[in-house]
Every structure is written in C-alpha cells, then in structure tokens.
Amino acid sequence: MSKKNIQDTEYAVVMEHVSKIYKLKKKDGQKSNNTERFYALKDISLKIKKGDVVGILGTNGSGKSTMSVILSGISDIDEGDMKINGEQALISINTGLNQQLTGLENINVKGALLGFNKKRIKEITDGVIEFAELGDFLYQPVKKYSSGMKSRLGFSISLALNPDIFIVDEALSVGDKAFAEKCLKRMKKLRDEEDKTILFISHSLPQVRDFCKTGVWIEGGKLVEVGDIDTVCDHYAEYVDKLNAMGNKEKNKMLEEKFKKRLIVDHKKSFLDKLFNKM
C-alpha cells in the first residue's frame, strides 16, 4: 500500500479506492475452513476537510465500525490508499481499555504509551477525573464497570488527550442521558471554538442532524452518498423506512443478495478443494 501520492494537506482524511477484507467466520465465532472472504468496505473514495463534522450513517453491518477502526489506525486497509493528517483518537465502548486495570491505571498506561511525561499524565488524569465523574470507581478494575461507565472513561481520556481528529463510534448510545448531553455540549465546543475534525457514528438521526455538517452514508460496504447532512439524512431515513416496511422474507432475501455481492471466493482453490474431497 502506497501513501506517498496523497498530498492533500487541507484534508484531515483522504481515502482513495479503500477496501477492507475479512475472512468469514462460523456461527460459533471460529474462522471458516472454506476460502470465502468478504468486503467489509469496498472501493471507498472520500475526502474530509479539516474542521468538518461528519455524520457516518448506515444500517447494522454496513461497515461503519470498520470505517472507524481503519480511520483510527487500529486496523490496516487491504486495498487502496489512505492518508490521515493529524493525530486521531477513537471513542468507542471498551476500545483501548484494559479490563484488568483500574480506570486510573488505564490513564497512566495510555499516557506512557504516547510518551508523555509525568506532568502531562497528571494533567490528563485531572481532566478525566473532572469530566468523567466516576468517583471511587476510577480506582476499580474496568471489568467491573457498566457499559456507560466505560464510555465515560474512554470519552474523557480522549478529550484530555486533545487529538486533531475525534472518531466517535456509538459512544453516546449507552449510559445516562445527562452525561450524553454533557459530551455533546463539549463536542460542540470542539467543533465551534477549536475547529476539530469530528467523525460521528450514530443511529440517532436527530442527534446527527443537530451536531454534524456533512453526511456520509455507507451501505453494504459501499459509499452511497456524501453531502449536506440534512439531505443525506433524508435519503437515509427514506431507505430505512422502506426497509422496515418490508416483510421478513422479503427483507432477508434482499439482505442476503446484498451480502453475496460482498463475497470474495478463491475459485481456483475452491475447485481443488472440491476435487480432493471427491477422491
């Protein structure tokens, strides 16, 4: 994968024909013995300007979370070119948190991995304590946290790290409403006063409409539409309404056909497997 040809420094994110491929797994979670793989994302070309606030939409299994992990650098792409201009942080439940460590230990480990000195780690810790409002739970193992508490900790750590690009993946869908509103208020300040780039993945259309400027709709691993947030939300909402109006049999047939289009089969190997199985 070559990145040297992408020079668009006015953009926070540049993706050119990006694809991400996974091996299929069995229902029990084990990798399948067959040769089938599938496109989690296929041929995505997208540019996101610095300072933009982008709502990423799509139904379950569309590739939104895959998008978040490749944009955050957690996972590599398999095809195409991608350039990220700036430091990024993924805010997602459990992501980057060690379940065996306490909340405080997680902060210290994160700071140490980033090469921060003790003073900077202390500043981050103070910021997390103030924003997360976890009280004595900060000194308890994260494995004892509720999903809402994990979201509080992860969100607060990312805020304190102050990256150039925030990637928020359903992090406000758990926990109490008051904290979610507090997070949104803080992110609006990042948007309006600090010109941060924010990629916001959420199933809440009202939340996306209120917060974001640009809409990106991904469906079946492919990019469907990019544009003004209200326009993209209107088109996406119309699609979801039609999907929900279908009967189960019709819907399952459509979803199955859509998934088949994402499959990659090594036909040569499949033929040999079939041949040897017959012998």
Side-chain angles (χ1 to χ4, degrees), residues 93-278:
I93 304 164
N94 288 335
T95 300
L97 297 178
N98 186 311
Q99 302 294 310
Q100 305 305 316
L101 301 181
T102 68
L104 182 62
E105 287 169 339
N106 267 284
I107 300 170
N108 289 330
V109 168
K110 183 72 173 178
L113 288 173
L114 291 172
F116 295 151
N117 59 32
K118 289 184 178 180
K119 181 181 178 182
R120 179 70 179 116
I121 293 175
K122 176 65 166 56
E123 291 172 352
I124 292 170
T125 302
D126 291 342
V128 172
I129 291 173
E130 180 182 356
F131 194 87
E133 300 175 358
L134 287 171
D136 289 340
F137 275 100
L138 191 66
Y139 311 101
Q140 300 299 317
V142 168
K143 64 182 179 181
K144 295 184 178 181
Y145 286 21
S146 67
S147 58
M149 291 168 65
K150 290 173 184 175
S151 180
R152 281 177 177 246
L153 178 62
F155 201 102
S156 301
I157 291 174
S158 293
L159 282 177
L161 292 175
N162 195 30
D164 304 300
I165 304 167
F166 287 88
I167 304 160
V168 186
D169 186 0
E170 297 288 354
L172 303 185
S173 62
V174 296
D176 60 274
K177 186 178 179 180
F179 187 73
E181 290 177 351
K182 179 180 179 180
C183 291
L184 270 174
K185 184 178 180 181
R186 181 70 180 92
M187 285 197 299
K188 285 179 178 178
K189 184 176 181 181
L190 292 172
R191 176 193 68 187
D192 300 334
E193 298 179 18
E194 300 183 34
D195 203 31
K196 296 289 185 179
T197 304
I198 304 174
L199 309 179
F200 190 67
I201 301 169
S202 175
H203 282 292
S204 173
L205 280 182
Q207 204 173 64
V208 171
R209 286 182 190 271
D210 176 60
F211 180 62
C212 301
K213 303 174 185 177
T214 302
V216 171
W217 175 12
I218 298 171
E219 202 63 43
K222 290 188 173 183
L223 183 63
V224 176
E225 185 178 14
V226 180
D228 169 74
I229 189 62
D230 286 324
T231 301
V232 176
C233 281
D234 287 345
H235 293 164
Y236 175 70
E238 183 179 352
Y239 170 80
V240 171
D241 288 343
K242 286 183 178 180
L243 197 64
N244 291 336
M246 291 180 179
N248 287 334
K249 187 175 181 180
E250 183 184 9
K251 184 191 294 185
N252 290 336
K253 182 180 178 181
M254 188 199 75
L255 294 176
E256 185 177 346
E257 289 175 352
K258 186 178 291 186
F259 184 73
K260 283 181 179 178
K261 292 179 181 179
R262 301 169 74 175
L263 291 176
I264 308 167
V265 181
D266 186 339
H267 295 289
K268 183 178 180 181
K269 189 174 180 181
S270 295
F271 174 77
L272 292 174
D273 287 342
K274 289 177 182 178
L275 182 64
F276 283 111
N277 286 334
K278 288 180 179 180

Side-chain angles (χ1 to χ4, degrees), residues 4-21:
K4 63 183 180 181
N5 294 326
I6 303 177
Q7 303 292 337
D8 301 283
T9 54
E10 68 176 294
Y11 296 97
V13 176
V14 180
M15 304 174 74
E16 295 180 354
H17 305 291
V18 167
S19 295
K20 179 65 183 178
I21 299 169

Side-chain angles (χ1 to χ4, degrees), residues 39-52:
Y39 283 104
L41 293 173
K42 186 175 182 180
D43 197 27
I44 303 289
S45 292
L46 177 67
K47 291 183 178 181
I48 297 172
K49 286 190 174 183
K50 291 180 179 179
D52 201 358

